[in-house]
Structures are given as C-alpha cells and as structure tokens.
Amino acid sequence: MQFGWLTLSLSPSPEEDAVRIDQQIEQVCFAEKLGFSDVWLTEHYFTGESVYNDSLMFAAALAMKTSRIRLGFAVVQTPFHHPVRLATQLALLDNLSKGRIDVGVGKGTVYNEYEFVGHGLRSDDSRERMEEAVAIMERAWGGEAFAYDGKFHKVKVPALRPKPVQARPPLWRSVISPGSFTECGKLGIPILTARLPVARIKERWALYEAGLRAGGHDDATRKRLLAQSALWRNVYVADSDAQAEDELAQLLIETREHMMHVREAYNPPDFQPGPETLNPWTDPKVKDDVAVPYVLETGSIYGSPKKVREQVAEIADAGVQHLLCQTGFGAMNHEQNIASMRRFGEDVMPVFQRRAAA
C-alpha cells in the first residue's frame, strides 16, 4: 500500500503565519523521512485555511527541501490562474523537482465564493474555465507552438520552455459522483476522492475499473491507474482509542467553527452552495453533534496504533492501494501533528509496506 500525506491545517492568526509556514515545510520533510510517497497541497485564500495560499510557490520550496517524495496538488483551482502561466509554472516546478509533480485540477471551491470574488470572478462559469484551462495546458506541454481561440482565453503561444521533465505531468481529478468514476476511467485520468464510506469503496473502484476497460486501456495502464487511485482520510493516532477520539473531535469542531464563520462573514449575500454539494459536515444548519460523528464515521481513521492498523486493513481489503493522510486539522499545534505522524509512520505504515513487498 502507498501512503500520501495531505496538508489542510490553518493558521489561527496573521501573527502565526510565518511560523506555521516553516512548520509545514518541516512536516513535509518529516513525511518524506517516514516513508510517505507523496505530499498533496491544497489551495485556499485569505483566511489562513491553507496558510501558504500559493501552492505552486510553496511546492517550489518543497522541491528544494526534498529529494524523493512526489509533490501533488489537491487541487489547483484553475479559474484563479492564467492557463499559459500555470502551464509554465508547473513545467518549471517539474524541472526543479526532477519530474515529481502530480497536478490535481478543479473548478474551484464550491463553498468559498469569497475566493472567486477576491480574484474578480464568480463561480457560475468555473467549470467552463477549468475545461478551457486544461485544454490549453495540455497543448502547451505538447512541445509545439499553438494558438487557442476560446471563450475566456485567446492565445498564440510559441513552444513552451522549459518543457516538463515528465512528457505530460499527470493531471488528476477529484471525483465524488459514480458517473465521474466511470468517465475518468474511460479517459485514463488518475483520481482522488474524499469522505467515501468504506461500504461504497469497492463499488466506486469497480466503476472506475469498468471505465478503464470501456476506454480500451491496456492491462499495464489499468493496473497503474488502479494503484494510483487515492482515497483521502483524516488520520489521527494517539496512545489510546479514547484519547484519539476526544482530541480529534475537538479539533474537528474548531475546524468547522472557523469554516462556517468565514463563509458567513465573507461570502456574498446572493451566494448559496448547490444543495447537492451539502452534507452533514458542510451544511451550516446541521449541529456539531451530528456533523462531527458523520466525519468521524465516513472520513476519518483514528485511534491507537492497533485500531488504526485495523481501519487501514479494512480500506485495503476494499481495494484501496493509495491512502492520502491528512494529519493536521484546524489550528492543531506542530508538536501534536508530528507526534501523530510519527505513530502512523512507525507503527502503522510498515505493516502494509511489508505486506505489499511480500
């Protein structure tokens, strides 16, 4: 089994931002030392939710501090970037990292409309913007001059330099609906998904594999993409099951309080997230005593090392070969994060890495 590390921990105040950025670099270096195969960066603005904000520039710093771990984006919010500049920055990053980048792309947050407003946009046309950006990036990485006449961008581009080290850096998609699993399989796109109950994993992975077969991909490609397919989970390891549940629940309450506060404070009055995007965690009308147990049940791995090994084994038995571990929540302090990472890296991961080697 392959283990990735994902960061989505906020800085509670502007005064702490610089320290928190340094700590995140230290955490990524520690993840590499522990044997995590990949690190995934989120992209959020203005409220400290992703304290570095600019995941591309932050990844460049990580490329200089690490040597083995792959650098992924979960996800790049494409509407906030000019696609030619984005393609150029990612090509440079692929060179700086010696071919270690994985690029998750998305149409932008479905809850934080203030991020669009802050970039002079609204989210209504975000999917079209994403599709156009992906088309331009793929053309740019093709190595030849091209012209593109789109709805949002009309460009004429000489051959891009530097070229990426990888012929085409992998473009990942975050998927939720059953149809998205099948469609990404047909297209041969690597996928990541979050908050998928264990009972649904085997079904969704089967849809993805069916899509791969329908797309005519050969055995080696199907095997590679199924191994890459990533499930995102909150991961917290403490000395006991009770300690882990109590501490994680409190961190999740604080995280949700921040999340709901900034959306109420900054989202424009005319914005409402689509009802299909709401669940007990994201719906502000749902109380914490319902929302937090929902996330613990559907999106979290937590407990003593023994219990966490059992939970990871259950996910592995359902077909997951790539687990993305978010070990920081809300304003969790650095020492608490490192302690949980150490327990997971030393007492959980080796069991499944030995199993894979066998």
Side-chain angles (χ1 to χ4, degrees):
M1 196 172 199
Q2 178 181 347
F3 295 94
W5 185 85
L6 185 142
T7 172
L8 184 57
S9 53
L10 64 91
S11 173
S13 69
E15 293 73 28
E16 291 190 45
D17 287 353
V19 171
R20 293 274 181 163
I21 290 168
D22 285 343
Q23 289 173 346
Q24 294 222 341
I25 292 173
E26 185 177 333
Q27 289 161 18
V28 171
C29 292
F30 190 51
E32 180 173 70
K33 181 179 178 181
L34 287 171
F36 285 88
S37 59
D38 38 320
V39 56
W40 293 80
L41 307 177
T42 51
E43 181 185 6
H44 288 291
Y45 295 91
F46 312 128
T47 66
E49 193 173 338
S50 291
V51 61
Y52 44 78
N53 286 343
D54 188 332
S55 58
L56 299 172
M57 185 171 286
F58 189 62
L62 298 179
M64 298 296 95
K65 292 282 190 177
T66 60
S67 60
R68 177 192 57 78
I69 201 165
R70 290 188 67 83
L71 307 174
F73 299 92
V75 294
V76 175
Q77 300 198 69
T78 51
F80 305 155
H81 303 268
H82 190 287
V84 174
R85 180 160 179 77
L86 181 58
T88 304
Q89 290 174 303
L90 288 167
L92 172 59
L93 181 59
D94 207 40
N95 278 266
L96 292 174
S97 66
K98 305 297 187 288
R100 287 189 282 141
I101 70 168
D102 290 288
V103 186
V105 293
K107 64 185 183 66
T109 172
V110 296
Y111 303 111
N112 302 349
E113 186 73 3
Y114 60 82
E115 295 187 38
F116 284 90
V117 174
H119 286 85
L121 303 169
R122 295 302 301 265
S123 61
D124 309 75
D125 55 11
S126 59
R127 183 170 295 280
E128 291 177 283
R129 287 182 179 275
M130 178 189 71
E131 292 169 353
E132 192 166 295
V134 169
I136 291 172
M137 283 196 297
E138 290 181 327
R139 292 284 299 277
W141 289 337
E144 298 179 355
F146 73 96
Y148 188 93
D149 185 7
K151 180 177 179 180
F152 307 103
H153 303 283
K154 302 181 189 302
V155 298
K156 187 175 182 180
V157 185
L160 190 71
R161 293 179 58 184
K163 294 180 180 179
V165 172
Q166 302 174 95
R168 290 182 183 273
L171 288 173
W172 294 59
R173 293 290 177 92
S174 176
V175 294
I176 298 174
S177 69
S180 296
F181 280 83
T182 304
E183 185 62 24
C184 285
K186 288 179 182 177
L187 297 172
I189 295 172
I191 58 169
L192 55 90
T193 191
R195 206 162 291 122
L196 184 65
V198 173
R200 290 279 179 266
I201 291 172
K202 189 173 290 188
E203 166 196 308
R204 295 290 197 272
W205 257 237
L207 289 172
Y208 184 60
E209 185 170 14
L212 289 169
R213 292 184 181 279
H217 302 287
D218 60 36
D219 289 346
T221 300
R222 293 201 306 271
K223 184 176 180 180
R224 172 177 58 81
L225 287 169
L226 284 167
Q228 286 180 321
S229 301
L231 179 72
W232 174 356
R233 281 288 195 260
N234 301 325
V235 173
Y236 187 63
V237 192
D239 290 328
S240 71
D241 295 345
Q243 178 192 359
E245 182 170 355
D246 289 347
E247 292 177 353
L248 178 55
Q250 185 57 43
L251 287 162
L252 290 171
I253 288 171
E254 294 169 4
T255 302
R256 191 168 191 260
E257 184 178 271
H258 165 85
M259 182 174 75
M260 296 306 178
H261 166 71
V262 297
R263 290 171 186 170
E264 183 177 1
Y266 301 126
N267 276 344
D270 65 348
F271 173 75
Q272 291 292 331
E276 74 282 357
T277 69
L278 294 175
N279 58 49
W281 173 250
T282 58
D283 190 339
K285 296 190 293 293
V286 177
K287 301 296 185 185
D288 286 344
D289 60 358
V290 174
V292 171
Y294 168 78
V295 170
L296 291 175
E297 172 65 25
T298 64
S300 304
I301 295 172
Y302 62 95
S304 64
K306 178 179 182 295
K307 181 180 177 183
V308 169
R309 286 194 296 268
E310 292 169 355
Q311 292 171 318
V312 174
E314 183 181 30
I315 287 171
D317 290 343
V320 175
Q321 301 175 57
H322 187 189
L323 180 65
L324 304 189
C325 305
Q326 179 185 337
T327 64
F329 320 95
M332 172 192 278
N333 68 55
H334 177 63
E335 292 72 25
Q336 192 176 7
N337 197 341
I338 289 289
S340 176
M341 288 175 66
R342 186 186 303 279
R343 292 185 187 100
F344 189 81
E346 294 179 354
D347 298 333
V348 179
M349 281 169 50
V351 172
F352 298 91
Q353 289 165 334
R354 287 196 297 269
R355 179 192 288 186

